[in-house]
Amino acid sequence: MGAGHGHRLHFHGHSPVHRAPAHVKVLTLLGFMLVVVATPREAYAVLAAEAAVLLGVVLLSRVPLTYLLPRMVVELPFVVFAVLMPFISHGPRTEVLGITVSEPGLVAGVALLIKGSIGVLGALTLAATTEPQDLLRGLQRLRMPELLVQIMGFMIRYLDVVTAELGRMMTALRSRGCDPRSPRHWPVLARSLGALFIRSYERGERVHLAMLSRGYDGKLP
């Protein structure tokens, strides 16, 4: 199943990581993350070794860290939660830089931050070295349900369409004096996002009807 042209997360290259089969990369990342998750929180040396392995793969892929690191902003909610854990957790207290924090919370927060960063960087590396259509074919080879693969394919295909429509809506709002960053205008922004959701839903209905009219029976050619 195709997914159109390359996605914005993909970094064009010809490294061994780029050339590796998509299903192998997916299985490798899944197995690696299972090992990372199973690593005890206090095993910092093991976590450091796992991070070093991942950085080695990134270097082998020749994807610049300057390309990957800005995209790790998606990890921000985990970072905020990890920072708060030493302050909201119970248990024995310890002092760090003159601040009293929960020792179990500190250990858990550091482990969450390290493991989360490894997971996000690993996923970004997979996305940067694998074309979307190759990733979908790899998931098919791994026997992922066909319907889920199709949903992911359409999500990739129409993500740019919805994003562009959102950009036009934001431009229209700003031209009318609305500042989306101002809490005073958040109700307007919420209604606009609701309208975008309805438009996207209706577009999906039209696409589905068009597919049925062309003989769609649950499988794409």
Side-chain angles (χ1 to χ4, degrees):
M1 174 182 173
H5 50 75
H7 194 260
R8 64 184 65 188
L9 287 178
H10 183 260
F11 184 87
H12 183 71
H14 302 283
S15 71
V17 182
H18 282 82
R19 294 194 299 268
H23 65 285
V24 173
K25 288 188 279 189
V26 171
L27 284 178
T28 301
L29 178 60
L30 179 60
F32 178 70
M33 287 312 304
L34 287 176
V35 173
V36 171
V37 171
T39 302
R41 295 183 299 182
E42 298 84 359
Y44 297 118
V46 178
L47 290 172
E50 292 165 348
V53 169
L54 179 57
L55 288 176
V57 174
V58 172
L59 293 176
L60 183 63
S61 71
R62 304 189 192 116
V63 178
L65 285 175
T66 53
Y67 181 85
L68 294 172
L69 293 181
R71 289 162 174 78
M72 291 188 67
V73 68
V74 297
E75 190 190 5
L76 186 59
F78 294 97
V79 174
V80 173
F81 185 67
V83 171
L84 291 177
M85 286 186 71
F87 300 97
I88 62 178
S89 299
H90 301 287
R93 314 299 289 184
T94 187
E95 193 170 290
V96 178
L97 300 177
I99 302 175
T100 302
V101 296
S102 167
E103 187 173 349
L106 179 63
V107 173
V110 172
L112 175 63
L113 186 60
I114 296 175
K115 293 183 179 184
S117 299
I118 291 175
V120 172
L121 183 58
L124 287 174
T125 303
L126 174 65
T129 58
T130 313
E131 288 277 8
Q133 59 268 30
D134 294 334
L135 181 59
L136 294 175
R137 294 191 193 101
L139 294 176
Q140 287 177 323
R141 292 194 63 177
L142 294 175
R143 299 294 188 268
M144 176 174 279
E146 181 70 21
L147 183 59
L148 290 180
V149 176
Q150 291 181 25
I151 291 174
M152 293 177 64
F154 281 111
M155 179 188 71
I156 295 172
R157 186 184 299 272
Y158 284 99
L159 183 61
D160 289 337
V161 176
V162 176
T163 302
E165 188 167 355
L166 176 61
R168 291 192 295 270
M169 293 176 66
M170 292 297 101
T171 300
L173 288 174
R174 291 190 181 96
S175 68
R176 291 165 174 80
C178 177
D179 182 6
R181 294 172 297 181
S182 172
R184 186 166 58 92
H185 294 148
W186 283 355
V188 178
L189 180 62
R191 289 193 291 270
S192 300
L193 293 177
L196 178 63
F197 173 79
I198 294 174
R199 291 181 186 178
S200 301
Y201 182 84
E202 291 176 344
R203 178 183 288 111
E205 288 289 310
R206 293 194 299 271
V207 170
H208 184 242
L209 290 175
M211 291 169 60
L212 292 177
S213 68
R214 289 163 174 79
Y216 173 72
D217 60 354
K219 291 186 178 181
L220 293 176

